[in-house]
Amino acid sequence: MKVYIGSLNPTKVEAVKEVFFQDDVTGIEVESKVAAQPFSDEETLEGAVNRARECAFMKKSEVGIGLEGGVMEIDGDLFLCNWGALVDRKENLYRASGARIPLPEEIQKGLETGRELGELMDVYAKKANVSKDEGAIGVFTKGQIKRAEMFSHVVKLLKGQWEHDNQN
């Protein structure tokens, strides 16, 4: 089966390859059509759906997957959020979300000035490309959960729903 993931980010591609390990998984660059730093569950989900649809429609595949990371506010605090979407060749849409943890105030303040989480995390962690490695979740859980693992969980939720609907 051919599976396209709407990203070249290695943590996202790795997550899909881990779950669809028997399939041909390819990352492709597509537009999320949302802000570079989504600021709500709705916007983050919209980005994931847009990526999945782009994959499903632009490439002939069984499954298109979009994964999007963002932040969302609860009672004045910003939390990490992540969403995934799967669109199959029949245009069925499956959605799932995953782990959430609060972000420190200094990260929240940086986001509120218009900076992206990935950029802020590189400065905070004093290393390059945090978003392509452990991600903010890895930094703030001291490596207990890494970004690829977080997205892998979302992909499992998507695949499980899709398989449930397509069981013989």
Side-chain angles (χ1 to χ4, degrees), residues 22-134:
Q22 295 178 323
D23 301 303
D24 181 9
V25 175
T26 304
I28 57 173
E29 193 61 46
V30 298
E31 292 296 319
S32 69
K33 300 177 186 166
V34 298
Q37 179 57 66
F39 252 85
S40 67
D41 268 330
E42 294 80 9
E43 186 178 17
T44 307
L45 173 58
E46 181 182 343
V49 170
N50 290 341
R51 289 178 187 274
R53 283 194 172 128
E54 285 286 317
C55 289
F57 300 152
M58 117 184 210
K59 299 282 187 179
K60 296 294 182 206
S61 67
E62 183 77 23
V63 170
I65 294 179
L67 298 172
E68 194 75 24
V71 297
M72 48 88 63
E73 185 179 341
I74 298 175
D75 295 331
D77 292 325
L78 285 183
F79 284 73
L80 282 176
C81 70
N82 54 90
W83 279 92
L86 182 153
V87 174
D88 66 18
R89 70 171 121 183
K90 298 175 196 167
E91 299 183 25
N92 295 312
L93 171 64
Y94 301 90
R95 298 165 293 185
S97 184
R100 296 169 193 269
I101 61 169
L103 293 168
E105 189 173 324
E106 69 184 272
I107 298 294
Q108 181 172 339
K109 286 180 180 178
L111 289 167
E112 289 168 350
T113 67
R115 295 173 70 193
E116 289 183 41
L117 182 59
E119 171 192 350
L120 293 167
M121 289 309 303
D122 286 354
V123 172
Y124 183 90
K126 298 178 178 70
K127 63 187 277 190
N129 297 314
V130 170
S131 69
K132 293 180 176 158
D133 191 16
E134 71 267 41

Side-chain angles (χ1 to χ4, degrees), residues 15 18-20 96 149 151-163:
E18 178 186 316
V19 177
F20 285 89
E149 183 182 0
F151 277 125
S152 173
H153 182 251
V154 171
V155 176
K156 287 176 184 177
L157 294 168
L158 295 169
K159 185 180 182 189
Q161 293 175 79
W162 178 69
E163 287 178 337

